[in-house]
Amino acid sequence: MISALDVLNRRQLCAPSAAKDLKLRMFDLTDKVAVVTGGSRGIGRAIAISLASQGASVVITYVNGEGPAKETISLIEKTGGKAEAIQFDVADASAAQKAVADVAKRLGRLDILVANAGISIDGLLLRLKDDDFERTLAVNLKGAVACAKGAIKPMMRAKRGRIIFVSSVVGEMGNAGQTAYAASKAAILGVSMSLAREYSSRNITVNAITPGYIETDMTGELQNEQREAMLTGIPLGRPGTAAEVGASVSFLASDEAAYITGQTLRVNGGMYM
């Protein structure tokens, strides 16, 4: 039996020079171009930073808050990475599709799309307003699909691409008071599997990740009782970090994940199995 470590060691031994040995790293994304929607804060920011740390040039998108977007770019550039930001609302499907396609035209390629932008308007079903339901679907589902549309054509021309949808553990297990959010995130999983079947022949992989309880600004607002209640349902006994979600995305975006498509990677500490 040949282990992954054996394979890595053989690659190092077969390298023609010591210089190339030093450059060898897992999940290398050098010269790749990535778009991360909703990349100005939280999980989206961590994803952008992770991709940039592996060598990708990252374009983050935001709808409001130019300040946080600039802060994300600054964090990436301080470590030698490349990043820029563009503004649009993913709920505007035509604008979202065009904006993603324009990135590919302007930069000459688009290798990675991470559809991360999302909102949650919580409330019990009987109190859920139709407009809130529609807005949730427009951002979380329709917006993600529109961005994928914009990415697929340049990826087809290149005969290579990585599309990664950020869903949620709630889309798999449900949660009281989050009917709209759960519906949108569950639908994303069906979209991911369908697109994986449609475009695998063009060497485009499509996968989803479902983060569980992740420490972000939003979860930081939870009361201690709420926090403790959530932790009791997590076998690892702690919340995850945004950086751990970012690392999972970098893996799925890399050559090491070239034979993975149509899958859901659960980053939830065992919260849902």
Side-chain angles (χ1 to χ4, degrees):
M1 181 75 68
I2 298 175
S3 70
L5 182 58
D6 291 331
V7 173
L8 180 58
N9 287 337
R10 289 182 185 186
R11 286 173 64 186
Q12 290 174 323
L13 289 172
C14 292
S17 69
K20 287 191 176 181
D21 287 347
L22 294 174
K23 292 181 180 179
L24 181 63
R25 63 181 177 184
M26 300 292 282
F27 315 153
D28 187 6
L29 302 175
T30 302
D31 297 329
K32 301 294 191 294
V33 172
V35 169
V36 180
T37 66
S40 64
R41 54 167 61 98
I43 288 175
R45 172 181 286 181
I47 290 171
I49 290 172
S50 181
L51 293 173
S53 73
Q54 298 300 323
S57 296
V58 181
V59 179
I60 65 169
T61 82
Y62 68 98
V63 60
N64 293 311
E66 185 180 5
K70 288 183 176 179
E71 185 178 347
T72 300
I73 292 171
S74 178
L75 289 169
I76 290 172
E77 291 179 340
K78 282 180 181 177
T79 58
K82 298 178 181 178
E84 62 178 89
I86 56 176
Q87 189 273 335
F88 65 88
D89 186 353
V90 295
D92 184 339
S94 60
Q97 182 176 343
K98 182 178 184 301
V100 173
D102 285 348
V103 169
K105 290 179 183 178
R106 181 167 53 84
L107 299 183
R109 61 189 297 165
L110 177 56
D111 305 279
I112 303 157
L113 168 69
V114 184
N116 164 76
I119 60 170
S120 178
I121 305 176
D122 299 340
L124 297 174
L125 180 62
L126 293 180
R127 298 177 182 175
L128 181 63
K129 297 177 181 177
D130 288 346
D131 287 348
D132 290 341
F133 189 39
E134 291 298 328
R135 174 65 180 172
T136 301
L137 292 179
V139 174
N140 297 0
L141 177 58
K142 295 178 182 178
V145 171
C147 290
K149 277 187 176 182
I152 282 173
K153 281 189 177 180
M155 288 181 179
M156 287 177 66
R157 287 193 293 269
K159 296 183 179 179
R160 186 193 184 283
R162 301 279 188 269
I163 297 176
I164 302 158
F165 292 103
V166 179
S167 179
S168 169
V169 67
V170 174
E172 297 184 290
M173 62 184 286
N175 194 35
Q178 290 192 301
T179 298
Y181 183 73
S184 66
K185 292 300 187 178
I188 281 294
L189 301 181
V191 168
S192 175
M193 290 184 285
S194 297
L195 294 184
R197 292 185 181 277
E198 287 184 20
Y199 296 102
S200 60
S201 63
R202 300 302 182 96
N203 198 30
I204 299 171
T205 67
V206 187
N207 294 287
I209 64 167
T210 51
Y213 175 23
I214 306 298
E215 286 279 22
T216 63
D217 292 342
M218 290 179 63
T219 58
E221 297 175 0
L222 293 174
Q223 300 296 320
N224 286 337
E225 310 85 68
Q226 295 174 305
R227 178 185 174 89
E228 291 303 318
M230 293 187 72
L231 290 178
T232 59
I234 302 174
L236 284 182
R238 66 170 179 86
T241 67
E244 288 171 322
V245 179
S248 71
V249 171
S250 288
F251 164 64
L252 289 175
S254 71
D255 288 341
E256 283 79 3
Y259 200 55
I260 300 174
T261 195
Q263 304 303 310
T264 298
L265 179 56
R266 294 169 175 163
V267 189
N268 64 29
M271 188 177 185
Y272 178 80
M273 301 184 190

